[in-house]
Amino acid sequence: MADSSPARPTVVVLGGGYAGIQVARPLDDVADVVLVEPKDDFVHNVAALRALVDPSWLERIYLPYTGLLGRGRVIRDRAVKADAGRVVLASGAELSPDYLVLATGSGYPFPAKSDVPSTEAAHGKVRNTHAALAAAGRVLLLGAGPVGIELAGEIKAVWPGKQVTLVDVASDVLGERYRPDLKAELRRQLTDLGAELLLGSPLRADPPTAAGELRPFVVTTQAGAEVTADIWFRCYGVAPASDYLAGGLAAARRPDGFVEVTPELLVAGQDRVFALGDVSAADQNKGAGAAGRQAPIVVSNIRALITGDGGLARYEPPPAGIIVPIGPDGGGGQRPDSADLVPAEVVAQLKGRDMMVQRFAELLGVSVTAESGASCGR
Ligand SMILES: Cc1cc2nc3c(=O)[nH]c(=O)nc-3n(C[C@H](O)[C@H](O)[C@H](O)COP(=O)(O)OP(=O)(O)OC[C@H]3O[C@@H](n4cnc5c(N)ncnc54)[C@H](O)[C@@H]3O)c2cc1C
């Protein structure tokens, strides 16, 4: 029987990370949603560092897209050129969206983020790096921001006897945007675990080995401290993924690569193209949490434009907040609405113990168990 319902607009979502999945799924009932994502599976990278020290987590953090959309589809491909009405994919295919959502996020050096589209290859890379790390007695972490702190905590939780040294050009841990008492608390926990902090001075030169390679080396900070280590990891360097933007969309790409948006999360100068998550300049406080707060605004605004009902909602970035685990049971945090620091026990409940796996598995319509990993539940 012929379908007599009116044509549904096409919404193309570029990127199937935290931002993309939380826009794609709720629009599945009002639009033909096409999610473009080069990776085989959704990667819950919030738990990536736990999987490095304990690869049994891998099955739980690579989650299939098969249960995400009922009507829409997920295309395994990469946008190589996108303007408002036309997207060219690496395969050569072209899409002509009525609405376009830029959710391509950011890259970050391995192991914090995966840079391999194939799940099998990505798992292999994590397992190999885990073996190298397990065999290393001394670990150097370049960067004492949230990723360096979290990785130090994960390593110390599994291998308390390993030497862990964090080096940062900044004079304190975590970065400028956070409270001094939170930094002091994180420093205290790290030093209690025996991690060494060399702050306020960069290395004279990067280590001579590749990051993640097991081979002893010696480096020196500009202040003159010498560190001998067997392996190192780069724990800084967020790079927004926006180099595929063309035409009018390229005009909204700032020199630092982030995409300028209006409070309605429309790309600057556009009326049917939205950007959210790490790739957008909507909020200085990047995170899966911020992507999750922005997604309902984009969903509501696309719905309003499709149906003609209601005005456009606006996103208001909250003041800085963060939680930083140090192993499954430690860490600290700050909340915008509280004068008190978030204690380790609450950080453990919010993230450290289950690494928020269940929450994102549910969003993908997947059930996960610690024993068998992910299976599609829809
Ligand atoms: C180790 C670590 C721990 C973290 N812990 C937390 C935490 O506890 N809480 C928190 O809130 N945040 C945390 N974050 C930050 C969080 O991971 C990011 O803010 C989040 O990934 C942003 O989501 P996103 O969807 O915008 O981008 P991403 O997660 O980067 O997803 C973007 C997707 O787009 C795809 N893509 C890229 N280019 C293209 C293209 N050209 N075409 C199509 N698809 C493309 C990518 O493959 C990727 O799947 C952590 C980050 C790290 C590295």
Side-chain angles (χ1 to χ4, degrees), residues 259-308:
V259 177
E260 206 66 73
V261 290
T262 67
E264 294 78 16
L265 303 182
L266 279 160
V267 171
Q270 303 294 321
D271 57 7
R272 290 184 167 214
V273 185
F274 293 82
L276 78 163
D278 274 14
V279 78
S280 113
D283 196 331
Q284 273 190 286
N285 209 24
K286 308 285 178 215
R293 286 187 291 276
Q294 292 162 20
I297 307 279
V298 172
V299 168
S300 158
N301 289 349
I302 292 178
R303 276 185 180 277
L305 291 171
I306 290 174
T307 61

CSV table of all heavy atoms in Angstrom, one decimal, residues 259-308:
chain,number,residue,atom,x,y,z
A,259,VAL,N,33.2,25.9,16.2
A,259,VAL,CA,32.2,26.5,15.3
A,259,VAL,C,31.3,27.5,16.1
A,259,VAL,O,30.8,27.2,17.1
A,259,VAL,CB,31.3,25.4,14.7
A,259,VAL,CG1,30.2,26.0,13.9
A,259,VAL,CG2,32.2,24.4,13.9
A,260,GLU,N,31.3,28.7,15.6
A,260,GLU,CA,30.5,29.8,16.2
A,260,GLU,C,29.0,29.5,16.1
A,260,GLU,O,28.5,29.1,15.0
A,260,GLU,CB,30.8,31.1,15.5
A,260,GLU,CG,30.7,32.3,16.3
A,260,GLU,CD,31.6,32.4,17.5
A,260,GLU,OE1,32.8,32.7,17.3
A,260,GLU,OE2,31.2,32.3,18.6
A,261,VAL,N,28.3,29.6,17.2
A,261,VAL,CA,26.8,29.3,17.2
A,261,VAL,C,26.1,30.5,17.9
A,261,VAL,O,26.7,31.2,18.7
A,261,VAL,CB,26.4,28.0,17.9
A,261,VAL,CG1,26.9,26.8,17.1
A,261,VAL,CG2,27.0,27.9,19.3
A,262,THR,N,24.8,30.6,17.6
A,262,THR,CA,23.9,31.5,18.3
A,262,THR,C,23.5,30.8,19.6
A,262,THR,O,23.6,29.6,19.8
A,262,THR,CB,22.7,31.8,17.4
A,262,THR,OG1,21.9,30.6,17.3
A,262,THR,CG2,23.1,32.3,16.0
A,263,PRO,N,22.8,31.6,20.5
A,263,PRO,CA,22.2,30.9,21.7
A,263,PRO,C,21.3,29.8,21.4
A,263,PRO,O,21.0,28.9,22.2
A,263,PRO,CB,21.5,32.1,22.4
A,263,PRO,CG,22.3,33.3,22.0
A,263,PRO,CD,22.6,33.0,20.5
A,264,GLU,N,20.7,29.8,20.2
A,264,GLU,CA,19.7,28.7,19.8
A,264,GLU,C,20.5,27.5,19.2
A,264,GLU,O,19.9,26.6,18.7
A,264,GLU,CB,18.8,29.3,18.7
A,264,GLU,CG,17.8,30.3,19.2
A,264,GLU,CD,18.4,31.7,19.3
A,264,GLU,OE1,19.5,31.9,18.7
A,264,GLU,OE2,17.8,32.6,19.9
A,265,LEU,N,21.8,27.6,19.2
A,265,LEU,CA,22.7,26.6,18.8
A,265,LEU,C,22.7,26.4,17.2
A,265,LEU,O,23.1,25.4,16.7
A,265,LEU,CB,22.5,25.2,19.5
A,265,LEU,CG,22.7,25.3,21.0
A,265,LEU,CD1,22.5,23.9,21.7
A,265,LEU,CD2,24.0,25.9,21.4
A,266,LEU,N,22.2,27.5,16.6
A,266,LEU,CA,22.3,27.5,15.1
A,266,LEU,C,23.7,28.0,14.8
A,266,LEU,O,24.3,28.8,15.5
A,266,LEU,CB,21.3,28.6,14.5
A,266,LEU,CG,19.9,28.1,14.4
A,266,LEU,CD1,18.9,29.3,14.3
A,266,LEU,CD2,19.7,27.2,13.1
A,267,VAL,N,24.3,27.4,13.7
A,267,VAL,CA,25.6,27.8,13.3
A,267,VAL,C,25.5,29.3,12.8
A,267,VAL,O,24.5,29.7,12.2
A,267,VAL,CB,26.1,26.9,12.1
A,267,VAL,CG1,27.4,27.5,11.5
A,267,VAL,CG2,26.4,25.5,12.7
A,268,ALA,N,26.4,30.1,13.2
A,268,ALA,CA,26.3,31.6,12.9
A,268,ALA,C,26.1,31.8,11.5
A,268,ALA,O,26.7,31.2,10.6
A,268,ALA,CB,27.6,32.3,13.4
A,269,GLY,N,25.0,32.6,11.2
A,269,GLY,CA,24.7,32.9,9.8
A,269,GLY,C,23.8,31.9,9.1
A,269,GLY,O,23.5,32.1,7.9
A,270,GLN,N,23.4,30.8,9.8
A,270,GLN,CA,22.6,29.8,9.2
A,270,GLN,C,21.2,29.7,9.9
A,270,GLN,O,21.0,30.0,11.0
A,270,GLN,CB,23.3,28.4,9.4
A,270,GLN,CG,24.7,28.4,8.8
A,270,GLN,CD,24.7,28.5,7.3
A,270,GLN,OE1,23.8,27.9,6.6
A,270,GLN,NE2,25.6,29.2,6.8
A,271,ASP,N,20.2,29.2,9.1
A,271,ASP,CA,18.9,29.0,9.8
A,271,ASP,C,18.4,27.6,9.8
A,271,ASP,O,17.4,27.3,10.4
A,271,ASP,CB,17.8,29.9,9.1
A,271,ASP,CG,17.7,29.7,7.6
A,271,ASP,OD1,18.3,28.7,7.1
A,271,ASP,OD2,17.0,30.4,7.0
A,272,ARG,N,19.2,26.6,9.3
A,272,ARG,CA,18.8,25.2,9.4
A,272,ARG,C,20.0,24.3,9.7
A,272,ARG,O,20.0,23.1,9.5
A,272,ARG,CB,18.2,24.8,8.0
A,272,ARG,CG,16.9,25.4,7.8
A,272,ARG,CD,16.2,24.9,6.6
A,272,ARG,NE,14.8,25.3,6.6
A,272,ARG,CZ,13.8,24.6,6.1
A,272,ARG,NH1,14.1,23.4,5.6
A,272,ARG,NH2,12.6,25.0,6.1
A,273,VAL,N,21.1,24.9,10.1
A,273,VAL,CA,22.3,24.1,10.5
A,273,VAL,C,22.6,24.4,12.0
A,273,VAL,O,22.8,25.6,12.3
A,273,VAL,CB,23.5,24.5,9.6
A,273,VAL,CG1,24.7,23.6,9.9
A,273,VAL,CG2,23.1,24.4,8.1
A,274,PHE,N,22.7,23.3,12.7
A,274,PHE,CA,23.0,23.5,14.2
A,274,PHE,C,24.4,22.8,14.5
A,274,PHE,O,24.8,22.0,13.7
A,274,PHE,CB,21.9,22.7,15.0
A,274,PHE,CG,20.6,23.4,14.9
A,274,PHE,CD1,19.7,23.1,13.8
A,274,PHE,CD2,20.1,24.2,15.9
A,274,PHE,CE1,18.5,23.7,13.7
A,274,PHE,CE2,18.9,24.8,15.8
A,274,PHE,CZ,18.1,24.5,14.7
A,275,ALA,N,25.0,23.3,15.5
A,275,ALA,CA,26.2,22.6,16.0
A,275,ALA,C,26.2,22.5,17.5
A,275,ALA,O,25.7,23.5,18.2
A,275,ALA,CB,27.5,23.4,15.6
A,276,LEU,N,26.6,21.4,18.0
A,276,LEU,CA,26.6,21.2,19.5
A,276,LEU,C,27.8,20.3,19.9
A,276,LEU,O,28.4,19.7,19.0
A,276,LEU,CB,25.3,20.6,20.0
A,276,LEU,CG,25.0,19.1,19.8
A,276,LEU,CD1,23.9,18.7,20.6
A,276,LEU,CD2,24.7,18.8,18.3
A,277,GLY,N,28.0,20.2,21.2
A,277,GLY,CA,29.0,19.3,21.7
A,277,GLY,C,30.4,19.9,21.6
A,277,GLY,O,30.5,21.2,21.5
A,278,ASP,N,31.4,19.1,21.6
A,278,ASP,CA,32.8,19.6,21.6
A,278,ASP,C,33.1,20.5,20.4
A,278,ASP,O,34.0,21.3,20.5
A,278,ASP,CB,33.8,18.4,21.6
A,278,ASP,CG,34.0,17.9,23.0
A,278,ASP,OD1,33.3,18.2,24.0
A,278,ASP,OD2,35.0,17.1,23.2
A,279,VAL,N,32.5,20.2,19.3
A,279,VAL,CA,32.9,21.0,18.1
A,279,VAL,C,32.4,22.5,18.1
A,279,VAL,O,32.9,23.3,17.5
A,279,VAL,CB,32.4,20.3,16.8
A,279,VAL,CG1,30.9,20.5,16.5
A,279,VAL,CG2,33.2,20.8,15.6
A,280,SER,N,31.4,22.7,19.0
A,280,SER,CA,30.8,24.0,19.0
A,280,SER,C,31.4,24.9,20.0
A,280,SER,O,31.9,24.4,21.0
A,280,SER,CB,29.2,23.9,19.2
A,280,SER,OG,28.9,24.4,20.4
A,281,ALA,N,31.3,26.2,19.8
A,281,ALA,CA,31.8,27.2,20.7
A,281,ALA,C,30.7,27.6,21.7
A,281,ALA,O,30.9,28.6,22.4
A,281,ALA,CB,32.3,28.4,20.0
A,282,ALA,N,29.7,26.8,21.8
A,282,ALA,CA,28.5,27.2,22.7
A,282,ALA,C,28.9,27.3,24.2
A,282,ALA,O,28.3,28.1,24.9
A,282,ALA,CB,27.4,26.2,22.5
A,283,ASP,N,29.8,26.5,24.6
A,283,ASP,CA,30.1,26.5,26.0
A,283,ASP,C,31.6,26.2,26.2
A,283,ASP,O,32.2,25.3,25.5
A,283,ASP,CB,29.3,25.3,26.6
A,283,ASP,CG,29.3,25.3,28.1
A,283,ASP,OD1,30.2,25.9,28.8
A,283,ASP,OD2,28.3,24.8,28.7
A,284,GLN,N,32.3,26.9,27.0
A,284,GLN,CA,33.7,26.7,27.3
A,284,GLN,C,33.9,25.4,28.0
A,284,GLN,O,35.0,24.8,27.9
A,284,GLN,CB,34.3,27.8,28.2
A,284,GLN,CG,34.8,29.0,27.4
A,284,GLN,CD,35.5,29.9,28.4
A,284,GLN,OE1,34.9,30.5,29.2
A,284,GLN,NE2,36.8,29.9,28.3
A,285,ASN,N,32.9,25.0,28.8
A,285,ASN,CA,33.0,23.8,29.6
A,285,ASN,C,32.6,22.6,28.7
A,285,ASN,O,31.4,22.3,28.6
A,285,ASN,CB,31.9,23.9,30.7
A,285,ASN,CG,32.3,23.2,32.0
A,285,ASN,OD1,33.5,22.9,32.2
A,285,ASN,ND2,31.4,22.8,32.8
A,286,LYS,N,33.6,22.0,28.0
A,286,LYS,CA,33.3,20.9,27.1
A,286,LYS,C,33.0,19.7,27.9
A,286,LYS,O,33.7,19.5,29.0
A,286,LYS,CB,34.4,20.7,26.1
A,286,LYS,CG,34.9,21.9,25.4
A,286,LYS,CD,34.0,22.3,24.3
A,286,LYS,CE,34.4,23.5,23.6
A,286,LYS,NZ,33.4,24.4,23.1
A,287,GLY,N,32.2,18.8,27.4
A,287,GLY,CA,32.0,17.5,28.1
A,287,GLY,C,30.8,16.8,27.6
A,287,GLY,O,30.0,17.4,26.9
A,288,ALA,N,30.8,15.5,27.9
A,288,ALA,CA,29.6,14.7,27.5
A,288,ALA,C,28.4,15.3,28.2
A,288,ALA,O,27.3,15.3,27.6
A,288,ALA,CB,29.8,13.2,27.9
A,289,GLY,N,28.6,15.8,29.4
A,289,GLY,CA,27.5,16.4,30.1
A,289,GLY,C,26.9,17.7,29.4
A,289,GLY,O,25.7,17.8,29.2
A,290,ALA,N,27.9,18.5,28.9
A,290,ALA,CA,27.4,19.7,28.1
A,290,ALA,C,26.7,19.3,26.9
A,290,ALA,O,25.7,19.9,26.5
A,290,ALA,CB,28.6,20.6,27.8
A,291,ALA,N,27.3,18.3,26.2
A,291,ALA,CA,26.6,17.8,24.9
A,291,ALA,C,25.2,17.3,25.3
A,291,ALA,O,24.2,17.6,24.5
A,291,ALA,CB,27.4,16.6,24.3
A,292,GLY,N,25.1,16.7,26.4
A,292,GLY,CA,23.7,16.2,26.8
A,292,GLY,C,22.8,17.3,27.2
A,292,GLY,O,21.5,17.1,27.0
A,293,ARG,N,23.3,18.4,27.6
A,293,ARG,CA,22.4,19.6,27.9
A,293,ARG,C,22.0,20.3,26.7
A,293,ARG,O,21.0,20.9,26.6
A,293,ARG,CB,23.1,20.5,29.0
A,293,ARG,CG,23.1,20.0,30.4
A,293,ARG,CD,23.6,21.0,31.4
A,293,ARG,NE,25.0,21.3,31.2
A,293,ARG,CZ,26.0,20.6,31.7
A,293,ARG,NH1,25.7,19.5,32.4
A,293,ARG,NH2,27.3,20.9,31.5
A,294,GLN,N,22.9,20.3,25.7
A,294,GLN,CA,22.7,21.0,24.5
A,294,GLN,C,21.7,20.3,23.5
A,294,GLN,O,21.0,20.9,22.8
A,294,GLN,CB,24.0,21.3,23.7
A,294,GLN,CG,24.9,22.3,24.5
A,294,GLN,CD,26.3,22.3,24.0
A,294,GLN,OE1,26.6,21.8,22.9
A,294,GLN,NE2,27.2,22.8,24.8
A,295,ALA,N,21.8,18.9,23.6
A,295,ALA,CA,21.0,18.1,22.6
A,295,ALA,C,19.5,18.4,22.7
A,295,ALA,O,18.9,18.6,21.6
A,295,ALA,CB,21.3,16.6,22.9
A,296,PRO,N,18.9,18.5,23.9
A,296,PRO,CA,17.4,18.8,23.9
A,296,PRO,C,17.1,20.1,23.3
A,296,PRO,O,16.0,20.3,22.7
A,296,PRO,CB,17.1,18.8,25.4
A,296,PRO,CG,18.2,18.1,26.0
A,296,PRO,CD,19.4,18.3,25.2
A,297,ILE,N,18.0,21.1,23.3
A,297,ILE,CA,17.8,22.4,22.7
A,297,ILE,C,17.7,22.3,21.2
A,297,ILE,O,16.8,22.8,20.5
A,297,ILE,CB,18.9,23.4,23.1
A,297,ILE,CG1,19.1,23.5,24.6
A,297,ILE,CG2,18.7,24.8,22.5
A,297,ILE,CD1,18.1,24.3,25.3
A,298,VAL,N,18.7,21.5,20.6
A,298,VAL,CA,18.8,21.3,19.2
A,298,VAL,C,17.5,20.5,18.7
A,298,VAL,O,16.9,20.9,17.7
A,298,VAL,CB,20.1,20.6,18.8
A,298,VAL,CG1,20.0,20.2,17.3
A,298,VAL,CG2,21.3,21.5,19.1
A,299,VAL,N,17.2,19.5,19.5
A,299,VAL,CA,16.0,18.7,19.2
A,299,VAL,C,14.7,19.5,19.2
A,299,VAL,O,14.0,19.5,18.2
A,299,VAL,CB,15.9,17.5,20.2
A,299,VAL,CG1,14.5,16.8,20.0
A,299,VAL,CG2,17.0,16.5,20.0
A,300,SER,N,14.6,20.3,20.2
A,300,SER,CA,13.4,21.1,20.3
A,300,SER,C,13.3,22.2,19.2
A,300,SER,O,12.3,22.4,18.6
A,300,SER,CB,13.4,21.8,21.7
A,300,SER,OG,12.6,22.9,21.8
A,301,ASN,N,14.5,22.7,18.9
A,301,ASN,CA,14.5,23.8,17.8
A,301,ASN,C,14.2,23.2,16.4
A,301,ASN,O,13.5,23.8,15.6
A,301,ASN,CB,15.8,24.5,17.8
A,301,ASN,CG,15.8,25.4,19.1
A,301,ASN,OD1,14.8,25.6,19.8
A,301,ASN,ND2,17.0,26.0,19.4
A,302,ILE,N,14.8,22.0,16.2
A,302,ILE,CA,14.5,21.4,14.8
A,302,ILE,C,13.0,21.0,14.8
A,302,ILE,O,12.3,21.2,13.8
A,302,ILE,CB,15.4,20.1,14.6
A,302,ILE,CG1,16.9,20.7,14.4
A,302,ILE,CG2,15.0,19.4,13.4
A,302,ILE,CD1,17.9,19.6,14.2
A,303,ARG,N,12.5,20.4,15.9
A,303,ARG,CA,11.0,20.1,15.9
A,303,ARG,C,10.2,21.4,15.7
A,303,ARG,O,9.2,21.3,14.9
A,303,ARG,CB,10.6,19.6,17.3
A,303,ARG,CG,10.9,18.1,17.5
A,303,ARG,CD,10.3,17.6,18.8
A,303,ARG,NE,10.6,16.2,19.0
A,303,ARG,CZ,9.8,15.3,18.4
A,303,ARG,NH1,8.7,15.6,17.8
A,303,ARG,NH2,10.1,14.0,18.6
A,304,ALA,N,10.6,22.5,16.3
A,304,ALA,CA,9.8,23.7,16.2
A,304,ALA,C,9.8,24.2,14.7
A,304,ALA,O,8.8,24.6,14.2
A,304,ALA,CB,10.3,24.8,17.1
A,305,LEU,N,11.0,24.1,14.1
A,305,LEU,CA,11.1,24.5,12.7
A,305,LEU,C,10.3,23.6,11.8
A,305,LEU,O,9.7,24.0,10.8
A,305,LEU,CB,12.6,24.6,12.2
A,305,LEU,CG,13.4,25.7,12.9
A,305,LEU,CD1,14.9,25.5,12.6
A,305,LEU,CD2,12.9,27.1,12.5
A,306,ILE,N,10.3,22.3,12.1
A,306,ILE,CA,9.6,21.3,11.2
A,306,ILE,C,8.1,21.5,11.4
A,306,ILE,O,7.4,21.6,10.4
A,306,ILE,CB,10.0,19.8,11.6
A,306,ILE,CG1,11.4,19.5,11.2
A,306,ILE,CG2,9.0,18.9,11.0
A,306,ILE,CD1,11.9,18.1,11.7
A,307,THR,N,7.6,21.7,12.6
A,307,THR,CA,6.2,21.7,12.8
A,307,THR,C,5.6,23.1,12.7
A,307,THR,O,4.4,23.3,12.6
A,307,THR,CB,5.8,21.2,14.2
A,307,THR,OG1,6.5,22.0,15.2
A,307,THR,CG2,6.3,19.7,14.4
A,308,GLY,N,6.5,24.1,12.9
A,308,GLY,CA,6.0,25.5,12.9
A,308,GLY,C,5.4,25.9,14.2
A,308,GLY,O,4.9,27.0,14.4
